[in-house]
Amino acid sequence: MSTAATALDERHREEGAFATLRRGLAMMPEFRRGLPVTFALALAATAGRVVVPIAVQQVIDRGLAGPGGPDAEFVRTVVLVCAGVVLLNVLAVYRMNVRLFRTTETALAGLRTRAFRHVHDLSVLHQQGQRRGSLVSRVTSDVDQLSTFMQWGGVLGVISLGQLLVATVVMAVYSWQLTLVVLACFLPLAAAVRYLAARLAVAYGVVRERVGDVLAAVSEAVVGAPTVRAYGIRERTAARLDRAIQRHYRAQVKAQQVTAAVFVSGEFVAAVANVAVVVAGVLLGLDGDITAGTLVAFLFLVTLFVAPVQIATEVLNEGQNAIAGFRRVLDVLETAPDVRDPAVAGPGEARQLPHAPLGVRFEHVSFRYAPGARPALEDVDLEIAPRRRVAVVGETGSGKTTFAKLVTRLMDPTEGRVLLGDDDAGWVPLDRVAFASLRQRVVMVPQDGFLFDATVADNVRYGRPGTTDAEVRTALEELGLGDWVAGLPEGVATRVGQRGDSLSAGERQLVAVARAYVADPDLLVLDEATSAVDPATERRLTHALDRLTDGRTTLTIAHRLSTAERADEVLVVDAGRVVQRGTHADLVDAVGPYARLHASWRRSSAGEPAPTA
Amino acid sequence: MPTRRDAVVRRGMRHVGRAIVEQPGMFTLALVASSLYGAMTVASAYVLGEVVDRVVLPALADGVTSTGALTLAAAAILGVAVLKILGILGRRLFAGVMSYRLQAEYRRRVTGQYLRLPLSWHQRHPTGQLLSNANSDVEAAWFFVAPLPFACGAVVMIGITVVALVATDPLLALVGMVVFPLVFVLNAVYSQAMSPRMQRAQQLRAEVSEIAHESFDAALVVKTLGREDVETRRFTGRAEELRDGLIAVGRVRGLFDPLMEALPNLGTLAVLLIGATRVAEGATDAGDLVSIAYLFTLLALPIRAIGWVLADLPRALAGFDRVTPVLDATGETPHGAQAAVTGAAGAGLGLRGVDYGFEGAARATLSGVTFDVAPGSTVAVVGPTGSGKSTLAGLLVRLVDPATGEVLLDGVDLRALREGEVSTQAAFVPQGTFLFDDTVRGNVTLGADLPDEQVWAALATAAADDFVRRLPDGLDTRVGERGATLSGGQRQRVALARAVVRRPRLLVLDDATSAVDPAVEARILDALRGAERPSTVVVVAYRQATIALADEVVWLVGGRVLARGSHEQLLAEVPGYAALVRAYAQTEVAA
């Protein structure tokens, strides 16, 4: 594991929510745009919420119980003014909402795309395939969760908070004594909210975990359908499913209990507050400190306290998840890539590859995947002349794939350096080559030759954007694949399906070869596929590879010794060192690992059982 | 399209009825609790009005009050609140239980079908679809149940309110008659405006996720071709569409939310306006005015609950419509009553004129396949891609049944055997290895009570003992979902051990040794054949080394057996066979 990846796992797990927010806001400049106006609108918006209690108070105290008896004119004025305020308030809330949604969504889209780009720059992506899924969630569900939170919880939270503030202020203006009474009732609840929110978080955490279990159990019944039937373990699988479903059900009920508790605690406290307001209000009223209208207005204002408490609990709960997701996205963004484009890192230093056939030179190169680990490659010192076709062979884990990754600069050596070029045009250290130049001249065809869910032509074109369909067809002809593509239902316009699923493994490799062919590199690195391919496709593939590698420097990570037999030169890697080098003919009779590899290949294809040693 | 909407409403009501019929007890409890809540909500407003009228106003007017009056007021407010809280608790808990029970029950039914239905049914349905049928579709189908009792309670509440309003003052009741339906209509308009926008946002979310998945999976290609910018542009395009989609959702919400809130507020103001005149006329008193105004502020939420249910019904119906075909699917694998022969050595196999075709396929996968496998012998099935080898392997262990013809195990048609007989006699290792999220032991024994020595022996035969011993918890190490913590070769070895540990009389390997060393493969076959009771082995193979171990080779092309004989015989006599086997040898993995 690279050091950057380790950092990704262990970074500030203990960071507080506000620190995360600060860090995040620094990275989302879009977010701060126009924020003061939005907050001003928010404050105006909450004003609308206290209009009704004020109207009630005014109507009762001055409209009905005024000195001159009921005053219809006054009531009409109050009601109309208040109705006007309510309508204005609708407008203000609408404007605030739209602004808030626009800024947050714009900021999050920016965050999402920056994280996406950054993930591509990180080596975790290709070093640790199993972590790809979690990286996908950095740019999808983590950001989605933030967005959902902002749209539902965030806006509600802002309004609720404002509502509490404005209601408190209005209450204080009416009567500071009664305000204290109400606050005394609600303050313990505010403390309880934190506790309840934590309980809620735990309960819903369990639910999510159980959902995962159910998903896994269901996928066993679906993906494992042949195995379940072949071994007659329907009962057992059903029992496992049943258990997972039951546990999920119980977790849901448990979470519902906590939610219900949160809900009713607000209601209960509101009732207590109402009682307190009536009792204290009447007692204060006896002394003439308070009017009937004020007292009734307080009863209305207390209802404004109930919803925010319920909302706050859920906002806190969801907020914690959203913040955790936010933190994960920021951690990805702050992880420095192991390998950086010199054109970006230090533009003055960046160099272009010479316009000449490329050779490869390793100068005492060693590589370790982690500090202190066994070197995957150790002190490799060699030169490969331009236009040579070299096969790199060795046991699994010998270091041949590391070799390929260093040549293509997917990683940098721990010690020593790799250079490209030749003696006439000069040698350029690989870590100085601008990516634009490097990726154009050096192309790797990975083992699984990944295909996109698009047409054959689109996939070939990926090697060189702008290639026309006609050019793609010509390229396929030149590779001897004309008859193959003619056999596809829609020729080059045939869609290959997700990850190329509608083609066979061998056919996917054909497309990958064509893609490398249109890219027209000077140095090719081929990581040979290990999967068996049907013979007809295999013949095409061999032919196409011959055409592709013709006249180019080629390094093939060979899993088949037939490839080694055809190569100009063979490099034998063993335990991180190059132990043999020469042509197949030279090496096959020499004592050494190559002869052993060759013998085992002969055995498995000659039809005699291998010794059970 | 009023007719279509009517149809949705009608079907929606039927769906609501279905939920109630499935969980009548819980629904009744939740409904009672909701009604209690509804009644107490109205009562709390009434109590407040009474308290204002009889305690507050007299006290403030006269300057005196009694402890008794205050206590009574407090008791009334608290008593109603406690009942209301009981209503909320009951409503939430019972409604939750009802909705979760329906979910769990349907999930059980759907997955029960997955396990019951034959493999041929599975082959006709994409995996992703089956997964979402059991998960998100079931959830969507019953999601509306949670607010359902609330909504029913709200109906009760509105009923009581209207009666109370009319009784108090018909003119004030008029305000309610205008405001309540308006809240309802606004809610309906809201759902109508929201649902397509929400759907689009959901769709875009899925697309953004798809691009990220694909692009990250393609990391090596992207990076080595230097296409990061192209990918980022592709992703940004869709991410910006998603942003616009979410802003569109926000715009609707941003308008409707304050409107929904303003409506009851305007209602309250209207009550004040009309009420003040009525009080002045002496038609009603201040307490009534207060309680009606208060009621309006309390009623807005329950009315919205009706909207939640209605808004969710189309989604629920869509989910349920996707689940129904699974529940209605028939095609149970019928079993006979015969017991299999036991005790004998390897099982004898016979195929008689077997035809098999996938549904909708232009030509048959297998046609007229007839051959016998002698007890204890090893047969290799060899053929080019698409010749029907895997289908044939599946037929031998009754994963699928032939369209015509029969497959005989010791002379008995597989279909005549009792349920479970085939799997006790035969073990099958499919092409794609499948491990359960269980321990290594659990994956080998599959719940059978086998001693550890036997498990270790099977692992040793499959050359898996070394790596299993090195695992942190040995046999008790959990392998993760689908065996994710193991490598492909390791998974295959565990799957082989699973087959071997049963000491099956028939072992069918469908290219199940591709990631295993030829030497290991030979050892497994040797162990099976050299045992006291040698198993019969049918192996779909590519490697010459494997094929050479077989007593007989069946050469399968285009679903027909074109030749049978020893490997040497076929090499000499069948040019197509010789060409294929040599071609595979060329591609053989050497290192």
Side-chain angles (χ1 to χ4, degrees):
Chain A
M1 194 193 288
S2 68
T3 46
T6 322
L8 210 59
D9 289 327
E10 291 167 6
R11 187 102 52 87
H12 24 237
R13 279 287 145 261
E14 299 304 314
E15 182 185 66
F18 280 104
T20 306
L21 279 178
R22 248 199 317 278
R23 199 150 62 94
L25 289 180
M27 262 189 230
M28 300 198 301
E30 302 97 330
F31 193 74
R32 281 166 304 195
R33 208 165 299 148
L35 214 53
V37 180
T38 307
F39 274 117
L41 281 170
L43 212 60
T46 51
R49 306 231 166 178
V50 292
V51 158
V52 167
I54 294 175
V56 170
Q57 179 265 331
Q58 290 289 322
V59 168
I60 290 177
D61 280 352
R62 297 171 59 188
L64 295 180
D71 182 351
E73 188 60 36
F74 176 78
V75 171
R76 203 172 304 129
T77 315
V78 167
V79 167
L80 283 180
V81 168
C82 287
V85 173
V86 166
L87 289 175
L88 275 178
N89 169 63
V90 169
L91 219 61
V93 174
Y94 171 64
R95 286 306 308 157
M96 176 198 76
N97 281 346
V98 169
R99 290 181 66 97
L100 215 54
F101 291 145
R102 200 186 295 131
T103 42
T104 52
E105 291 306 336
T106 307
L108 289 176
L111 183 75
R112 203 195 283 273
T113 51
R114 277 196 292 276
F116 176 87
R117 172 60 217 243
H118 197 77
V119 168
H120 266 301
D121 290 339
L122 292 179
S123 57
V124 229
L125 199 55
H126 51 84
Q127 305 289 35
Q128 295 173 274
Q130 76 278 12
R131 295 199 38 190
R132 259 176 224 156
S134 78
L135 288 169
V136 170
S137 33
R138 289 306 89 83
V139 300
T140 56
S141 54
D142 283 341
V143 180
D144 289 340
Q145 201 168 26
L146 259 174
S147 149
T148 311
F149 173 71
M150 297 276 200
Q151 289 230 346
W152 301 85
V155 172
L156 273 179
V158 168
I159 294 185
S160 299
L161 202 68
Q163 178 173 319
L164 281 182
L165 280 175
V166 175
T168 310
V169 168
V170 172
M171 288 200 297
V173 169
Y174 276 136
S175 157
W176 62 265
Q177 299 99 322
L178 275 188
T179 307
L180 285 182
V181 168
V182 171
L183 288 183
C185 291
F186 276 96
L187 275 181
L189 186 60
V193 160
R194 272 187 82 92
Y195 166 76
L196 288 170
R199 290 276 313 267
L200 217 53
V202 172
Y204 280 105
V206 175
V207 172
R208 268 193 298 276
E209 213 171 281
R210 298 284 179 264
V211 169
D213 294 347
V214 169
L215 279 170
V218 172
S219 87
E220 286 191 350
V222 172
V223 185
T227 305
V228 170
R229 278 158 188 74
Y231 287 93
I233 49 166
R234 191 171 112 186
E235 302 292 326
R236 181 171 185 260
T237 314
R240 285 160 69 99
L241 258 166
D242 197 58
R243 199 160 50 237
I245 292 172
Q246 193 59 26
R247 276 156 60 92
H248 174 223
Y249 165 76
R250 268 197 234 111
Q252 282 180 309
V253 171
K254 176 98 188 140
Q256 184 69 349
Q257 285 167 350
V258 181
T259 315
V262 170
F263 245 77
V264 296
S265 56
E267 291 282 348
F268 182 73
V269 173
V272 171
N274 273 347
V275 169
V277 165
V278 168
V279 173
V282 168
L283 294 179
L284 285 168
L286 296 180
D287 299 335
D289 285 346
I290 203 165
T291 64
T294 303
L295 204 160
V296 173
F298 259 85
L299 296 178
F300 276 79
L301 286 166
V302 165
T303 61
L304 290 181
F305 270 71
V306 181
V309 169
Q310 291 162 352
I311 288 164
T313 321
E314 293 196 8
V315 165
L316 273 180
N317 173 29
E318 282 174 26
Q320 275 164 0
N321 292 331
I323 289 276
F326 199 16
R327 201 172 288 152
R328 287 193 292 269
V329 180
L330 295 176
D331 285 352
V332 164
L333 273 171
E334 286 181 353
T335 304
D338 293 343
V339 174
R340 295 196 64 192
D341 185 355
V344 176
E349 308 277 285
R351 291 179 56 182
Q352 306 291 312
L353 284 170
H355 282 278
L358 293 175
V360 178
R361 185 193 277 173
F362 273 52
E363 290 180 351
H364 301 287
V365 168
S366 296
F367 184 84
R368 291 166 210 274
Y369 278 93
R374 188 180 68 85
L377 274 187
E378 196 168 7
D379 197 26
V380 174
D381 197 60
L382 55 82
E383 190 172 316
I384 293 165
R387 297 209 164 105
R388 298 280 280 181
R389 297 204 247 189
V390 177
V392 184
V393 300
E395 306 277 351
T396 308
S398 58
K400 48 188 197 302
T401 309
T402 308
F403 195 83
K405 285 178 179 168
L406 291 174
V407 173
T408 46
R409 213 185 159 212
L410 290 173
M411 326 182 290
D412 284 332
T414 320
E415 286 155 46
R417 58 179 190 161
V418 181
L419 302 101
L420 298 182
D422 76 345
D423 290 336
D424 300 331
W427 292 91
V428 185
L430 195 53
D431 58 8
R432 299 277 291 280
V433 181
F435 274 15
S437 171
L438 178 68
R439 301 302 179 208
Q440 193 192 352
R441 310 279 307 281
V442 179
V443 163
M444 180 179 187
V445 181
Q447 230 177 37
D448 70 343
F450 187 93
L451 298 196
F452 294 87
D453 184 7
T455 65
V456 169
D458 291 334
N459 271 291
V460 172
R461 195 164 20 238
Y462 205 76
R464 180 176 292 270
T467 311
T468 63
D469 278 9
E471 286 164 341
V472 167
R473 251 179 251 117
T474 312
L476 288 166
E477 285 293 340
E478 286 169 5
L479 289 168
L481 301 175
D483 61 325
W484 170 71
V485 84
L488 293 175
E490 288 170 65
V492 295
T494 307
R495 294 195 69 89
V496 301
Q498 245 182 43
R499 284 150 184 77
D501 271 351
S502 45
L503 301 182
S504 74
E507 289 173 320
R508 287 198 287 274
Q509 287 173 36
L510 295 180
V511 178
V513 166
R515 175 193 288 159
Y517 185 72
V518 300
D520 192 22
D522 295 294
L523 171 60
L524 255 176
V525 179
L526 303 173
D527 195 354
E528 210 165 57
T530 51
S531 52
V533 167
D534 72 89
T537 312
E538 180 65 29
R539 267 196 305 279
R540 289 197 180 97
L541 188 61
T542 310
H543 179 71
L545 278 170
D546 280 343
R547 299 301 304 267
L548 170 66
T549 56
D550 190 26
R552 302 181 214 274
T553 318
T554 309
L555 278 171
T556 307
I557 309 303
H559 300 288
R560 299 166 191 166
L561 290 198
S562 56
T563 311
E565 282 176 345
R566 286 201 309 275
D568 297 333
E569 217 177 336
V570 178
L571 285 179
V572 185
V573 187
D574 191 34
R577 290 173 180 276
V578 176
V579 289
Q580 277 183 304
R581 183 175 181 175
T583 64
H584 166 74
D586 294 340
L587 295 180
V588 75
D589 294 324
V591 179
Y594 186 76
R596 277 205 303 279
L597 278 170
H598 190 250
S600 93
W601 168 66
R602 289 287 296 267
R603 253 199 321 277
S604 67
S605 57
E608 63 193 56
T612 331
Chain B
M1 300 175 288
T3 48
R4 243 190 69 197
R5 195 174 304 157
D6 286 353
V8 170
V9 170
R10 234 191 348 268
R11 291 187 55 225
M13 286 306 134
R14 256 211 307 281
H15 191 51
V16 170
R18 195 176 292 128
I20 295 172
V21 169
E22 292 259 0
Q23 290 289 331
M26 274 303 139
F27 179 73
T28 311
L29 286 173
L31 188 63
V32 168
S34 288
S35 307
L36 178 67
Y37 162 74
M40 287 308 118
T41 302
V42 180
S44 68
Y46 174 75
V47 165
L48 216 60
E50 289 300 299
V51 167
V52 168
D53 240 9
R54 298 184 187 196
V55 183
V56 177
L57 290 181
L60 297 196
D62 310 336
V64 280
T65 189
S66 68
T67 322
L70 276 182
T71 314
L72 200 66
I77 294 176
L78 275 182
V80 167
V82 167
L83 286 177
K84 185 174 165 189
I85 282 170
L86 284 179
I88 296 178
L89 276 177
R91 183 193 86 213
R92 286 206 149 238
L93 291 182
F94 297 134
V97 167
M98 178 181 174
S99 148
Y100 303 145
R101 274 196 188 167
L102 281 165
Q103 265 185 42
E105 176 57 30
Y106 270 77
R107 215 160 257 153
R108 271 191 207 107
R109 287 187 204 169
V110 168
T111 53
Q113 283 288 84
Y114 289 171
L115 292 172
R116 197 172 304 121
L117 290 165
L119 199 64
S120 53
W121 184 87
H122 277 265
Q123 286 162 346
R124 291 197 300 271
H125 297 85
T127 307
Q129 186 192 321
L130 296 186
L131 292 180
S132 65
N133 282 159
N135 296 307
S136 48
D137 289 342
V138 166
E139 194 180 310
W142 303 117
F143 199 74
F144 74 94
V145 171
L148 178 65
F150 192 13
C152 295
V155 174
V156 172
M157 204 187 299
I158 291 171
I160 300 175
T161 307
V162 170
V163 171
L165 281 178
V166 173
T168 313
D169 185 66
L171 206 61
L172 285 180
L174 216 59
V175 179
M177 311 258 186
V178 172
V179 171
F180 297 153
L182 257 182
V183 171
F184 196 77
V185 166
L186 197 61
N187 212 336
V189 175
Y190 178 37
S191 319
Q192 288 258 306
M194 263 313 241
S195 92
R197 286 175 174 80
M198 293 276 270
Q199 263 169 28
R200 179 165 161 70
Q202 204 48 42
Q203 172 66 28
L204 285 167
R205 264 200 197 113
E207 287 175 22
V208 163
S209 164
E210 226 160 81
I211 292 181
H213 262 291
E214 189 180 61
S215 187
F216 289 174
D217 275 350
L220 260 185
V221 170
V222 171
K223 181 157 288 190
T224 53
L225 286 168
R227 293 285 174 272
E228 291 95 334
D229 289 338
V230 178
E231 287 301 298
T232 308
R233 271 201 297 281
R234 189 159 79 102
F235 183 80
T236 307
R238 207 52 56 89
E240 283 175 354
E241 273 181 59
L242 172 59
R243 176 200 63 199
D244 295 342
L246 287 170
I247 291 175
V249 168
R251 216 180 271 282
V252 174
R253 257 182 62 87
L255 179 63
F256 276 88
D257 273 357
L259 274 180
M260 294 292 259
E261 223 180 79
L263 214 50
N265 281 346
L266 291 175
T268 311
L269 291 173
V271 166
L272 288 180
L273 184 66
I274 298 169
T277 327
R278 302 289 283 173
V279 173
E281 289 166 1
T284 187
D285 58 40
D288 288 339
L289 186 59
V290 169
S291 45
I292 291 172
Y294 192 72
L295 200 52
F296 269 75
T297 61
L298 294 184
L299 263 179
L301 186 72
I303 293 177
R304 291 186 71 175
I306 302 174
W308 294 336
V309 172
L310 292 182
D312 204 45
L313 274 180
R315 196 171 76 100
L317 281 175
F320 193 72
D321 286 348
R322 283 191 295 269
V323 171
T324 318
V326 177
L327 295 178
D328 292 348
T330 51
E332 183 114 9
T333 313
H335 292 280
Q338 288 201 43
V341 180
T342 49
L349 260 183
L351 285 89
R352 300 278 175 276
V354 168
D355 292 347
Y356 185 88
F358 284 101
E359 204 160 278
R363 64 177 188 86
T365 310
L366 292 175
S367 39
V369 173
T370 301
F371 65 86
D372 284 311
V373 180
S377 66
T378 300
V379 168
V381 179
V382 181
T385 313
S387 56
K389 301 185 295 283
S390 288
T391 308
L392 179 63
L395 279 163
L396 299 181
V397 293
R398 214 187 164 201
L399 286 184
V400 288
D401 283 331
T404 53
E406 47 186 11
V407 181
L408 308 171
L409 184 75
D410 296 319
V412 183
D413 190 322
L414 290 182
R415 284 169 292 200
L417 290 173
R418 278 198 309 246
E419 184 169 8
E421 285 292 302
V422 177
S423 56
T424 58
Q425 303 296 315
F428 171 68
V429 185
Q431 212 167 11
T433 313
F434 184 85
L435 294 194
F436 295 91
D437 183 8
D438 199 341
T439 59
V440 173
R441 181 191 287 103
N443 266 295
V444 174
T445 64
L446 294 180
D449 190 16
L450 298 172
D452 276 10
E453 304 87 77
Q454 205 174 324
V455 174
W456 279 116
L459 287 169
T461 307
D465 52 339
D466 280 345
F467 89 79
V468 171
R469 214 166 274 129
R470 281 198 302 272
L471 291 174
D473 297 313
L475 283 181
D476 293 311
T477 311
R478 294 195 74 91
V479 300
E481 202 175 325
R482 294 184 212 173
T485 61
L486 304 182
S487 75
Q490 289 173 335
R491 282 200 290 272
Q492 210 165 50
R493 289 170 200 208
V494 173
L496 284 167
R498 171 194 291 165
V500 171
V501 80
R502 267 141 243 281
R503 297 185 181 140
R505 297 178 59 234
L506 168 65
L507 176 65
V508 181
L509 302 175
D510 182 9
D511 190 21
T513 47
S514 59
V516 172
D517 200 66
V520 174
E521 188 181 23
R523 208 161 81 197
I524 295 167
L525 294 181
D526 280 347
L528 290 167
R529 301 189 317 164
E532 246 169 76
R533 312 178 323 175
S535 305
T536 307
V537 180
V538 177
V539 51
V540 173
Y542 291 91
R543 284 192 187 128
Q544 272 207 57
T546 318
I547 299 169
L549 290 171
D551 300 311
E552 194 184 30
V553 177
V554 173
W555 170 234
L556 196 66
V557 177
R560 292 171 187 279
V561 178
L562 289 196
R564 289 167 56 194
S566 74
H567 176 55
E568 289 74 22
Q569 226 174 331
L570 294 189
L571 270 185
E573 293 166 12
V574 184
Y577 176 77
L580 182 92
V581 170
R582 291 222 181 82
Y584 276 131
Q586 291 291 315
T587 72
E588 191 54 39
V589 174

